[in-house]
Amino acid sequence: MPIARHVALTVALVAPTAVLANSPSLDAVLETNARIAHAAYEDSLITARRLESRIEALVENPSEKTLTAAKAAWLEAREPYGQTEVYRFRGGPIDALRDDGTMGAEGDGPEGRINAWPLGEALIDYTAERVDGDAGPESPETVADVGDNLIADETFEISVDKLASMNELGGDERNVTTGYHAIEFLLWGQDLNADGKGYGSRDATAGSRPYTDYVTGEGCTHGHCDRRGAYLNAVAGLLVADLERVTNAWAPGEGVHYQAFVAGGESALRKILEGMGRLSYGELAGERMLIALAANSQEDEHSCFADNTHRDILLNAKGVQNSYQGTYVRSDGRVVSGPGVADYIRSEHPELAARLDEALRKTLVDISRMDGVAKAGAPFDVQIQSSEYQPLVRDVIVDLRDQTHYIERLMAELDLDADLRQDTEENLEQL
């Protein structure tokens, strides 16, 4: 049974909103943004619960069928979550919600437990001797007390609390032990390509972890199958718990963040634009794309085990458009919509609005081409290696850089100050 590479979402290139006779109020724009945030996180929670259920079935009854079903659920769960990343970088619940349910500062939230990457997978489970990139931590001394890996180290207690406490151990951002990408690694294993050695020309295959890695007793491969299953169940449960808290914080009318945000006026508008710009520039164009392209390293791509990076890129860009246009298509096909930033600015800044419309449209056109190439058999790790496709990857990076320039110009016109380029050391302006 083939694994679905993505669910029903396709990119609709939204036409520029018609000029409104009366621009909507800022309060209406903020309410739309908050309702969409809640809907996208709720979809992420629903699909994460489905993933947790499929993982439980895999661990209880390991087979090709249950492993394939768990992988399909992971791919499905990534679709709504990718569209939530535009709500980062703005002091919202994903970045600032404390475990006790109160709002703190950026860095206090669960984002690192949910979606941190790249991960040094050698901390979690067995790895090949040689891989295409770095499978270990940036600082080996941070894991000096761990045996071969956490699953093989019988002295390490596998529990939700212990795994959460180990995430980014010693301040090393590659020491990722939880979240979507830890689950991805435990379902797919490393992407070692056709030659099986982890180097040489890449192909269209993803990782190929056998279901027997979860067979307890006779038939277990690579050892410690009971601990591997316990680890996978624990991180799936933590993912659901963290997404539930973030979703509740955005609940219309009652969430700990919702009311403060919709009453935030121009400060909240600045946060919307800051999230759009910082995701576009430093995070997506810089950290997630340019670094992997420049280093030609599949270990530095976002979903390197499942070869799903093309969807990550498209969904992040779609999230930016969702915030701008004020429209989100839910996983079940329902549409959440209302006045967006585009409607708010168009009458006062028509020329700049038109340029930003076109920049966002061009980005999604080029990313849709990248997505199509990946679905045709050349995933992102092949694209960054191939002279045929590298120009397409570079075009998307430039598109994301250019749309950020227009977001910066809009913020200047609105007298809203923010640094949109703080999240990468990569020099995108040289491209």
Side-chain angles (χ1 to χ4, degrees):
M1 172 180 168
I3 298 169
R5 302 308 295 172
H6 60 87
V7 292
L9 174 71
T10 55
V11 173
L13 300 179
V14 179
T17 308
V19 176
L20 303 180
N22 295 299
S23 296
S25 69
L26 178 54
D27 287 348
V29 173
L30 300 180
E31 182 179 354
T32 297
N33 190 265
R35 288 192 298 110
I36 290 176
H38 178 258
Y41 280 118
E42 188 172 55
D43 283 347
S44 300
L45 175 59
I46 290 168
T47 53
R49 284 173 173 159
R50 190 173 302 131
L51 171 62
E52 181 184 32
S53 177
R54 298 279 179 83
I55 284 172
E56 289 172 350
L58 165 65
V59 173
E60 183 176 346
N61 182 26
S63 68
E64 288 285 2
K65 182 178 179 179
T66 54
L67 176 59
T68 297
K71 289 179 177 180
W74 186 90
L75 293 169
E76 179 188 27
R78 294 296 290 170
E79 296 285 306
Y81 189 79
Q83 296 176 79
T84 70
E85 295 218 71
V86 72
Y87 301 105
R88 293 183 56 200
F89 311 112
R90 46 189 268 184
I94 190 66
D95 289 317
L97 183 67
R98 301 188 185 100
D99 287 350
D100 64 5
T102 61
M103 292 295 294
E106 188 165 327
D108 291 337
E111 197 280 332
R113 289 202 303 249
I114 291 173
N115 198 44
W117 74 282
L119 72 164
E121 62 267 27
L123 173 62
I124 297 175
D125 200 3
Y126 71 89
T127 56
E129 289 185 8
R130 183 173 179 181
V131 297
D132 190 357
D134 185 2
E138 291 180 348
S139 305
E141 65 272 13
T142 60
V143 296
D145 293 334
V146 178
D148 289 340
N149 55 71
L150 294 177
I151 287 174
D153 185 354
E154 296 282 351
T155 66
F156 176 74
E157 174 195 355
I158 294 177
S159 68
V160 168
D161 290 343
K162 285 289 289 183
L163 292 176
S165 72
M166 295 289 285
N167 199 53
E168 299 183 350
L169 179 68
D172 189 331
E173 293 183 351
R174 290 184 61 88
N175 287 338
V176 177
T177 57
T178 66
Y180 284 107
H181 297 296
I183 294 171
E184 178 195 5
F185 169 56
L186 288 168
L187 292 177
W188 271 271
Q190 291 175 295
D191 183 358
L192 299 176
N193 303 297
D195 61 13
K197 298 177 182 177
Y199 55 93
S201 296
R202 300 180 188 129
D203 60 22
T205 61
S208 56
R209 181 187 291 276
Y211 78 86
T212 50
D213 274 5
Y214 292 97
V215 173
T216 57
E218 186 178 354
C220 168
T221 49
H222 300 104
H224 313 288
C225 289
D226 55 338
R227 288 177 57 81
R228 189 171 295 112
Y231 194 117
L232 186 55
N233 275 328
V235 290
L238 179 60
L239 176 66
V240 168
D242 280 337
L243 287 171
E244 185 171 32
R245 293 190 307 107
V246 174
T247 302
N248 290 341
W250 276 109
E254 59 189 45
V256 68
H257 183 68
Y258 179 90
Q259 291 285 21
F261 176 78
V262 298
E266 289 190 352
S267 174
L269 177 61
R270 179 186 59 76
K271 290 178 179 180
I272 293 175
L273 294 170
E274 184 175 10
M276 291 168 55
R278 288 178 64 183
L279 175 60
S280 298
Y281 194 92
E283 185 70 8
L284 187 50
E287 296 297 295
R288 299 190 182 184
M289 294 189 69
L290 184 55
I291 286 178
L293 176 65
N296 186 21
S297 170
Q298 66 178 352
E299 281 280 330
D300 286 313
E301 64 166 318
H302 202 146
S303 296
C304 65
F305 311 114
D307 270 352
N308 198 53
T309 302
H310 59 287
R311 296 302 295 174
D312 296 326
I313 295 167
L314 183 148
L315 294 161
N316 285 177
K318 188 67 175 69
V320 174
Q321 189 191 65
N322 293 346
S323 277
Y324 183 65
Q325 298 288 354
T327 300
Y328 169 66
V329 180
R330 296 200 60 164
S331 297
D332 62 6
R334 289 179 293 157
V335 177
V336 180
S337 64
V341 173
D343 302 314
Y344 183 70
I345 67 171
R346 202 172 305 284
S347 62
E348 295 295 324
H349 307 281
E351 181 179 352
L352 184 52
R355 290 181 180 274
L356 183 50
D357 283 335
E358 174 57 24
L360 292 169
R361 187 200 68 81
K362 186 176 186 304
T363 297
L364 283 173
V365 166
D366 286 344
I367 293 179
S368 294
R369 289 172 55 211
M370 178 188 293
D371 185 53
V373 167
K375 286 185 282 189
F380 185 75
D381 59 348
V382 174
Q383 293 179 34
I384 60 175
Q385 187 178 56
S386 166
S387 59
E388 179 181 358
Y389 300 121
Q390 286 172 345
L392 175 57
V393 176
R394 192 171 288 106
D395 284 347
V396 172
I397 295 171
V398 170
D399 291 340
L400 290 162
R401 178 200 70 186
D402 290 349
Q403 76 181 34
T404 306
H405 291 170
Y406 289 116
I407 296 170
E408 288 175 324
R409 286 181 56 186
L410 176 59
M411 296 186 76
E413 288 288 338
L414 297 172
D415 293 323
L416 302 173
D417 180 50
D419 177 8
L420 305 186
R421 307 187 188 197
Q422 61 186 280
D423 303 297
T424 185
E425 297 179 357
E426 304 304 303
N427 184 5
L428 277 66
E429 302 307 316
Q430 68 184 351
L431 297 178

